[in-house]
Amino acid sequence: MRSKLGRMVALVAALTTALPNISKVALATDISSDIPPAVYWLDGDYEIAKYMGNGVVYAGKQYRLTAKNGLKGTHVTIINLNSEIIFPTDEAPWLAEYFFGDYILTRQADKFGLLDRFGNIAVPAIYNTEKEAWEQVNIDSTLGTDPSYSPEPNIVYIEAPDSSETGLLYGFEDDKGNLLVDYQFDDAMPFSGHNYTRVNKEGRCGLLKNPLMAEVTSDWAKKEVAAAATMGLIPSRCAGYYTFEITRSQMAALLVQYCELVQGHELLLPTEHPFTDTSDTYIEKAYAEGIVQGLGDGIFAPDKVVTREQLATMLYRTITKINPGWADTVLVPDGYEDFDTISDWAKEAVSALIGKKVINGVSATRISPKSYCSTEQAIALVYRLVAASK
């Protein structure tokens, strides 16, 4: 199997061949001036939330125990970033603070096991120690269960100077006193070295992204994201928070930007607004082109995050819209043990994109279709369409 570096070198070579054709096409105009979303707002009556990794969120509602001197308790629900329930209120098992890789530690009575990101049993809770449970998936538990943690620099929430007149409002500053996020939240928690923290605003509970990560890209993505930006491929709403999950709105904008770039003309808007929850120009153009669809009942849900199989389907529609004969023959890829977990509506798209080497599995044996896709992953894949659509 080729290394990541080897695949990148091959990709760059392919793109070098394709780019002279693209350079003759007028750049698409970024039709928005919006910024990447900084908060994932949760649907539901939640007051507290903690990001546990892998798109999983510990969310809850506090209540007062009147029989115990006013002490507070919490109804706990485990959900994903799209607010879909993994474990309903008060049915959530005991879980460790954070995921380590694909797994999180769970305990039943005095026995330990592991769950995956979807709440499925990966290792049954039959082991006497945490170490034994982690050994079943070849993970050294002495490394801890929070690989995303970084103690420095820390970011804390701070009360607005004029809160006495306007009511309490909170923003965030770094350890040097620089204001990073303006005063706007009714309640908040410090980041404490993590990539997300909980914020509350106007009755809503959400997860604020670490502002120090706004311009960060992973090492593997730096060249492709920079090249895509130079091409004019990245709309403003995708230009930041690259390592965080991409939303449906961002994905629609990215694909419309790509289509207008390679075709050299603006896409048409539909004659009527197709959705009741958004009239965004990018989304409506993508819908009119058949690139995206709604979730039913006139709902698009622009702020929901995109799974790998959803991304593959949008990419496939985009490619075949521009080049209908691009994937005349689609074969089921070999060797992926989780292929049957792909939704039926996405299997053709995933198979075609893997066959054409536009996307890869997360490993040699797993596609992980229900996992979320980051903004930098989406940008890199759309950038590769420059070559793949030829």
Side-chain angles (χ1 to χ4, degrees):
M1 181 180 297
R2 285 193 298 178
S3 67
K4 183 177 288 184
L5 177 60
R7 291 195 297 271
M8 183 172 290
V9 170
L11 174 65
V12 171
L15 290 174
T16 300
T17 301
L19 284 175
N21 295 321
I22 297 298
S23 64
K24 298 177 182 178
V25 178
L27 292 179
T29 300
D30 188 347
I31 54 178
S32 74
S33 58
D34 51 354
I35 60 177
V39 181
Y40 291 128
W41 293 108
L42 304 178
D43 296 334
D45 187 20
Y46 301 118
E47 294 175 334
I48 60 174
K50 181 182 72 177
Y51 187 72
M52 306 172 75
N54 288 326
V56 178
V57 180
Y58 170 107
K61 178 84 171 177
Q62 291 186 330
Y63 62 94
R64 190 170 296 278
L65 302 171
T66 55
K68 294 187 177 182
N69 299 320
L71 295 176
K72 285 188 176 181
T74 304
H75 291 295
V76 176
T77 308
I78 305 297
I79 60 178
N80 62 26
L81 281 175
N82 283 334
S83 299
E84 297 164 337
I85 294 175
I86 300 174
F87 290 106
T89 301
D90 296 331
E91 293 184 20
W94 179 92
L95 297 176
E97 291 284 308
Y98 299 95
F99 276 81
F100 187 94
D102 290 332
Y103 308 104
I104 193 166
L105 188 74
T106 185
R107 184 180 66 213
Q108 296 178 13
D110 59 348
K111 302 293 184 180
F112 295 94
L114 303 176
L115 301 182
D116 66 15
R117 68 188 68 191
F118 308 111
N120 302 315
I121 297 173
V123 173
I126 59 175
Y127 296 94
N128 293 323
T129 66
E130 299 179 16
K131 183 175 184 294
E132 288 179 288
W134 285 112
E135 285 175 345
Q136 307 312 305
V137 291
N138 299 316
I139 289 179
D140 182 356
S141 63
T142 62
L143 297 175
T145 56
D146 182 16
S148 68
Y149 178 75
S150 176
E152 297 294 342
N154 195 18
I155 303 176
V156 298
Y157 68 96
I158 183 170
E159 184 179 317
D162 57 352
S163 288
S164 59
E165 298 180 5
T166 62
L168 289 178
L169 285 179
Y170 296 94
F172 287 82
E173 66 176 23
D174 63 17
D175 51 6
K176 296 180 181 179
N178 298 310
L179 187 65
L180 301 176
V181 179
D182 199 11
Y183 307 105
Q184 58 184 288
F185 301 109
D186 303 319
D187 195 12
M189 291 291 290
F191 277 92
S192 301
H194 299 290
N195 287 340
Y196 299 85
T197 195
R198 184 259 296 174
V199 291
N200 300 80
K201 184 176 182 178
E202 299 174 354
R204 302 182 72 189
C205 183
L207 295 166
L208 176 68
K209 303 173 187 177
N210 190 323
L212 297 181
M213 298 289 291
E215 303 300 324
V216 172
T217 53
S218 301
D219 288 343
W220 67 264
K222 290 182 184 297
K223 290 183 179 179
E224 289 179 305
V225 170
T230 299
M231 289 176 60
L233 182 59
I234 303 178
S236 60
R237 72 183 62 172
C238 297
Y241 292 107
Y242 299 103
T243 61
F244 293 82
E245 292 83 355
I246 193 168
T247 67
R248 287 168 55 81
S249 169
Q250 289 176 294
M251 196 67 220
L254 186 59
L255 292 174
V256 167
Q257 194 83 343
Y258 165 77
C259 288
E260 295 188 345
L261 173 65
V262 299
Q263 295 184 108
H265 62 80
E266 291 191 12
L267 302 183
L268 298 176
L269 286 164
T271 56
E272 297 180 353
H273 293 301
F275 304 112
T276 58
D277 60 343
T278 180
S279 57
D280 180 82
T281 300
Y282 275 129
I283 292 171
E284 293 193 344
K285 284 185 174 183
Y287 174 79
E289 288 292 308
I291 294 171
V292 301
Q293 297 177 354
L295 302 182
D297 298 324
I299 300 300
F300 183 77
D303 299 325
K304 300 295 185 185
V305 295
V306 177
T307 65
R308 284 170 54 83
E309 66 178 8
Q310 291 169 343
L311 172 70
T313 302
M314 294 179 193
L315 287 172
Y316 185 59
R317 291 175 185 152
T318 302
I319 297 173
T320 54
K321 182 73 177 179
I322 295 173
N323 187 352
W326 179 76
D328 289 335
T329 302
V330 177
L331 301 176
V332 174
D334 294 327
Y336 291 105
E337 58 191 28
D338 62 347
F339 183 83
D340 288 341
T341 67
I342 302 172
S343 300
D344 289 341
W345 49 262
K347 285 181 176 177
E348 179 179 340
V350 172
S351 298
L353 294 179
I354 288 178
K356 288 283 192 176
K357 303 188 186 314
V358 175
I359 65 172
N360 301 312
V362 297
S363 72
T365 59
R366 294 178 58 245
I367 297 172
S368 195
K370 312 297 184 185
S371 299
Y372 297 127
C373 181
S374 69
T375 298
E376 65 185 8
Q377 289 170 336
I379 290 171
L381 289 173
V382 174
Y383 179 59
R384 293 168 197 176
L385 294 188
V386 173
S389 60
K390 293 299 179 181

